[in-house]
Amino acid sequence: MGTAHFYQSSFLMYSRFELFIPVKETVKLNLLFQQIVEKMGQLENDISKYSERSETSRLNINAAKKPVKVSSSFFGLLQQCIEYNQKTGGYFNICAGSGSQKDRMGITIDKKTQTVYYESADISIDFGAIGKGLAMEIALKSLQNEGIVQAFINFGESSVFGLGMHPHGDCWPVNIINGKNSLTLNLNNNGLSSSGLHTVNDELTAHIFDPLTSQLVKRNEKIVVKSDSPVLAEVLSTAYYAAPDHKRNEISYNFPDAEIYML
Amino acid sequence: MGEDNNPGRRDFIGKIAAYTGSALILGGIGWAGTKLTGSADSEVTYDGKLIKIGVVGTGSRGNYLLELLLSVPIVEVVAICDNYPPNLRQGLEIAKGKVRSYDNHLVMYEKEKLDAVVVATPLHQHAPVVLDAFEAGFHVFCEKSMARTVDDCVAMVKASQVAGKVFQIGLQRMFDQNYLAFMQMLKNNQIGRVTQVRAYWHRNNDWRRPIPSPELERKINWRLYNEYSCGLMTELVAHHIQVANWVLNATPVKVMGSGSINYWNDGREVFDNVNLVYEYPGGIHLNCDSMISNKHYGAEVQVLGDKGTFEMESGLFYTENPPPSPGILQLINTIEHGIFDAINLQGTSWAPELIIHDTPHYINPRKHTPDSTREQLVAFARFVQKGQPVPELVKHGFNTSVATLYGDIAIKENRIVTIPDEHRM
């Protein structure tokens, strides 16, 4: 307690969530951090496929057999994902499975009954490509509600947000590095998300699938999206990376406020 | 309490490490002019004579100890003793018939020129067998717990001091390389101030051994009867009490708890689940439990400090406040120096292979550590070879056993029991 700045971290969504606020640490800030972490944890419990009691897990087990009713907030999230799926030409897709290819996600949702049905038995939902963005939004909202106007959030080093200004400048400058290439972006009430290959045992490894072909995308490049919405940044970085060259312009066109970079 | 700079504890760790070759902690330790590495007796040449040992009690535990003793280069097992013929036969088989056998320990003590005995009889027989061994002038290794009653524990310690012989109780975690590494980390203040220890040991079996005839029930299944054993307390919980005493460098002042038979209602007398709270000086507590109707959680000792946590059975260490990631560290440093500069980020999008949990650190990256049960026997043989009792070991053995026995009283009489000062070494 009593350091010149506030820094705390917590493990969430199998990544490390770090919050830095350039003000003196206080009991109130510590409590705020705990509240943020609790809310993010609740989100994780609700949507993570790794959480046995999440709505996602419930759907993944039952929704191919018959329509399954979900909560309003979960239904709203699905609608949001469907919209992103449409606007990215299918390159953002939370669904996997043989029924989720080409131009369809493979799920049917009914607004009236608030139910979800999987169109084939091997469909499953995974919010991994958007989860951190959703969690970041929760964190930002909590900070802003408490009147915090300056902060830097780092979530697993691939999703960051610069709230307000750096204490010694008018933005939070960030260098994104990919091998020998680097890109400097200035964040002021916006954030970025990056997608690409990752390193396992010193080897570059692919993990993002092209939803339309179900093939692993192995381009040795990093896509970085800067946006004032952490959710959009995450959605677009994944979709843009997964999409072939000739589809990328369409995606950019549908999201004119996002800045998309390639390293 | 729990001062990491306690010279007694430092010396004790040093002595243990020296006799077990725990290079992990203290680097190469010279002993008898020979550098020790890896396991306690690897790459060692001996300049002392072989230690002649007799094993009293060749049931399942005793035979395991026998097997280990036969593998220790400085030990010669010359005799075994057990008053149950099938156990004795099994012991002879393990020793390939190359030892003399007895069914009465007094006869063995009279006839054999031993340096030491290893005692692995049922708990209630520890006291007479050990007292007779000191009387006969032998050093003693006795399986834990020390004895069935506090009075017997007191008598055994006094006898060892009068005899001036090595007296070691089978608490093998004191010789476990992972545990020793943890103790070094504790000494280095890596988890800060310890304010709680939690321990559990869960198994799922009835603990019964098959009996050839009904009259052998109490002899063979002695662990299930109060006359001979305190059940889970003396068989399992004792180890965790020893660890807590070691970590806290103290002994408990009082204990409370509850136990019952809620599953194995088969005529046994000892509880099939025990649940206790030991209070140490400074208001620090050990919460411990043991049961034998569910094995999901297995066994663990959790040491909770204000800077970090140990999970000693798993060999894991967690920090309370992991340092910032490199990018944030860079950010903090530049801000503190009044610098406005970009920070470097290299991460890519999340992938399943990059899952990190609350990152634990394995305190020993080696996949294999020497069997601590063997390490303790090798150490015992070396102490005997040196002819020097190790008072800290006696203290640990006594304090552990007494705290265990008082815990048993607490749960049986359903009251808070204060452990008298004269029973805390």
Side-chain angles (χ1 to χ4, degrees):
Chain A
M1 199 67 62
T3 56
H5 58 262
F6 176 84
Y7 168 81
Q8 281 264 29
S9 71
S10 184
F11 290 90
L12 288 157
M13 297 183 171
Y14 302 106
S15 295
R16 192 160 161 203
F17 170 76
E18 297 179 276
L19 173 62
F20 173 81
I21 305 174
V23 298
K24 201 171 168 198
E25 185 184 359
T26 61
V27 169
K28 195 172 172 191
L29 281 177
N30 277 310
L31 283 172
L32 173 61
F33 183 80
Q34 281 173 32
Q35 286 162 7
I36 289 173
V37 164
E38 272 170 31
K39 287 180 187 168
M40 291 168 79
Q42 188 55 54
L43 170 73
E44 185 174 10
N45 285 341
D46 290 342
I47 68 170
S48 170
K49 70 173 187 181
Y50 298 104
S51 172
E52 282 175 5
R53 283 185 273 188
S54 68
E55 289 202 82
T56 302
S57 292
R58 197 161 57 84
L59 283 177
N60 287 343
I61 292 169
N62 298 304
K65 300 171 198 166
K66 58 178 183 180
V68 175
K69 191 170 166 61
V70 296
S71 65
S72 304
S73 57
F74 193 92
F75 194 83
L77 176 58
L78 282 177
Q79 286 180 304
Q80 193 182 7
C81 290
I82 290 171
E83 189 182 338
Y84 284 135
N85 174 263
Q86 289 163 353
K87 287 170 90 172
T88 60
Y91 287 98
F92 173 79
N93 190 349
I94 58 170
C95 298
S98 59
S100 178
Q101 278 183 29
K102 308 287 182 203
D103 57 354
R104 51 186 300 106
M105 280 177 69
I107 61 172
T108 302
I109 64 171
D110 185 327
K111 203 170 171 181
K112 206 169 159 187
T113 57
Q114 224 165 268
T115 55
V116 181
Y117 174 68
Y118 288 1
E119 292 162 12
S120 69
D122 66 345
I123 293 280
S124 66
I125 284 180
D126 180 353
F127 287 103
I130 191 176
K132 293 226 288 286
L134 293 167
M136 288 272 261
E137 261 186 3
I138 289 174
L140 282 170
K141 209 172 181 177
S142 297
L143 291 171
Q144 286 160 337
N145 284 347
E146 289 300 315
I148 308 283
V149 297
Q150 274 181 302
F152 191 85
I153 299 175
N154 182 16
F155 204 167
E157 296 232 354
S158 61
S159 298
V160 301
F161 199 95
L163 186 65
M165 301 188 305
H166 188 287
H168 305 306
D170 61 357
C171 62
W172 298 87
V174 173
N175 280 337
I176 316 297
I177 297 168
N178 186 25
K180 292 180 185 165
N181 302 320
S182 69
L183 164 74
T184 301
L185 293 175
N186 297 328
L187 306 179
N188 183 326
N189 291 325
N190 39 34
L192 57 88
S193 175
S194 55
S195 289
L197 301 176
H198 63 279
T199 306
V200 177
N201 297 328
D202 294 330
E203 273 187 34
L204 286 174
T205 309
H207 67 279
I208 295 175
F209 287 87
D210 177 336
L212 274 61
T213 63
S214 299
Q215 300 298 309
L216 267 177
V217 180
K218 298 180 184 175
R219 295 171 204 252
N220 189 1
E221 65 185 15
K222 189 177 283 189
I223 301 298
V224 182
V225 176
K226 178 180 167 186
S227 169
D228 57 6
S229 162
V231 171
L232 183 60
E234 265 220 74
V235 165
L236 283 183
S237 71
T238 305
Y240 206 82
Y241 181 79
D245 289 339
H246 64 279
K247 291 287 187 183
R248 287 179 164 184
N249 282 342
E250 284 175 40
I251 296 174
S252 309
Y253 182 78
N254 286 336
F255 298 96
D257 294 333
E259 295 172 33
I260 304 176
Y261 302 89
M262 195 164 70
L263 270 182
Chain B
M1 206 270 288
E3 271 302 319
D4 296 325
N5 288 324
N6 181 306
R9 179 152 81 176
R10 277 209 308 279
D11 182 56
F12 176 50
I13 293 173
K15 194 167 272 183
I16 295 290
Y19 283 91
T20 62
S22 187
L24 185 69
I25 300 170
L26 295 171
I29 304 289
W31 180 76
T34 306
K35 193 170 165 84
L36 306 179
T37 58
S39 172
D41 58 354
S42 64
E43 301 174 31
V44 175
T45 57
Y46 303 95
D47 57 4
K49 62 179 178 59
L50 287 178
I51 302 301
K52 292 190 187 308
I53 283 182
V55 177
V56 184
T58 53
S60 64
R61 185 64 180 176
N63 278 331
Y64 177 52
L65 297 182
L66 172 62
E67 210 172 314
L68 294 176
L69 285 165
L70 291 169
S71 76
V72 178
I74 61 169
V75 162
E76 183 186 359
V77 180
V78 297
I80 61 173
C81 173
D82 201 293
N83 60 15
Y84 183 55
N87 283 352
L88 197 59
R89 278 197 294 275
Q90 199 171 12
L92 277 170
E93 214 174 289
I94 287 168
K96 296 185 172 39
K98 292 179 184 171
V99 298
R100 288 176 286 281
S101 62
Y102 300 86
D103 60 10
N104 183 317
H105 72 279
L106 286 170
V107 175
M108 183 173 91
Y109 290 178
E110 197 187 309
K111 291 197 168 173
E112 296 291 342
K113 287 185 175 34
L114 303 173
D115 295 305
V117 296
V118 166
V119 177
T121 63
L123 180 65
H124 69 294
Q125 293 170 343
H126 284 186
V129 170
V130 167
L131 290 170
D132 290 339
F134 286 134
E135 185 73 31
F138 304 146
H139 301 280
V140 172
F141 175 99
C142 179
E143 262 296 345
K144 67 93 184 82
S145 293
M146 191 179 278
R148 177 61 188 87
T149 68
V150 174
D151 287 346
D152 279 348
C153 292
V154 171
M156 289 157 82
V157 168
K158 281 194 176 138
S160 77
Q161 289 165 341
V162 165
K165 296 296 179 185
V166 175
F167 182 28
Q168 185 174 327
I169 299 296
L171 295 163
Q172 63 266 28
R173 280 159 182 74
M174 285 193 287
F175 298 86
D176 183 290
Q177 290 198 0
N178 281 350
Y179 273 83
L180 286 166
F182 275 125
M183 294 306 293
Q184 184 67 43
M185 291 171 71
L186 196 67
K187 180 188 156 191
N188 295 340
N189 204 34
Q190 283 185 255
I191 62 166
R193 201 173 130 211
V194 175
T195 51
Q196 190 179 99
V197 180
R198 304 195 308 186
Y200 54 84
W201 204 326
H202 299 175
R203 289 180 177 172
N204 194 340
N205 58 61
D206 64 3
W207 244 11
R208 283 191 166 280
R209 278 146 194 198
I211 50 171
S213 57
E215 63 266 22
L216 290 172
E217 161 65 13
R218 291 176 78 92
K219 182 176 182 63
I220 291 174
N221 285 313
W222 56 270
R223 281 182 192 84
L224 306 183
Y225 299 97
N226 287 324
E227 185 183 346
Y228 315 122
S229 168
C230 296
L232 290 170
M233 288 301 301
T234 42
E235 298 303 306
L236 298 181
V237 176
H239 282 300
H240 290 166
I241 293 171
Q242 181 268 310
V243 172
N245 288 356
W246 198 17
V247 162
L248 299 173
N249 197 26
T251 57
V253 294
K254 58 173 87 158
V255 55
M256 65 200 87
S258 184
S260 66
I261 298 171
N262 65 15
Y263 189 80
W264 297 109
N265 293 293
D266 57 1
R268 70 185 60 202
E269 294 170 357
V270 301
F271 294 143
D272 63 15
N273 72 96
V274 297
N275 311 270
L276 301 100
V277 178
Y278 282 88
E279 185 180 308
Y280 287 73
I284 298 176
H285 295 90
L286 162 65
N287 299 321
C288 55
D289 75 89
S290 183
M291 62 185 294
I292 49 173
S293 55
N294 174 290
K295 63 179 180 351
H296 179 79
Y297 292 106
E300 190 55 85
V301 180
Q302 299 164 336
V303 180
L304 313 180
D306 63 348
K307 287 186 190 170
T309 305
F310 290 156
E311 287 180 348
M312 295 180 99
E313 291 287 329
S314 305
L316 295 173
F317 154 61
Y318 302 81
T319 59
E320 284 287 285
N321 297 305
S325 62
I328 298 294
L329 197 56
Q330 185 188 3
L331 179 70
I332 293 171
N333 285 336
T334 51
I335 288 175
E336 282 178 353
H337 288 90
I339 296 168
F340 175 62
D341 201 1
I343 61 167
N344 296 325
L345 293 175
Q346 300 212 37
T348 51
S349 46
W350 181 91
E353 295 89 342
L354 296 176
I355 279 178
I356 57 169
H357 299 273
D358 188 359
T359 308
H361 306 273
Y362 284 95
I363 54 97
N364 186 354
R366 285 161 46 179
K367 288 182 181 156
H368 173 72
T369 55
D371 180 349
S372 55
T373 303
R374 185 176 182 280
E375 294 287 282
Q376 69 175 343
L377 293 172
V378 175
F380 171 66
R382 291 220 182 113
F383 294 142
V384 169
Q385 219 170 24
K386 282 278 199 184
Q388 282 173 2
V390 184
E392 279 287 326
L393 284 178
V394 178
K395 193 170 134 177
H396 263 285
F398 178 80
N399 286 332
T400 297
S401 302
V402 163
T404 306
L405 293 168
Y406 276 110
D408 190 60
I409 292 169
I411 59 177
K412 284 191 171 120
E413 296 180 10
N414 214 18
R415 61 182 177 93
I416 299 173
V417 171
T418 297
I419 299 174
D421 284 343
E422 63 265 28
H423 291 158
R424 300 168 63 223
M425 278 177 82

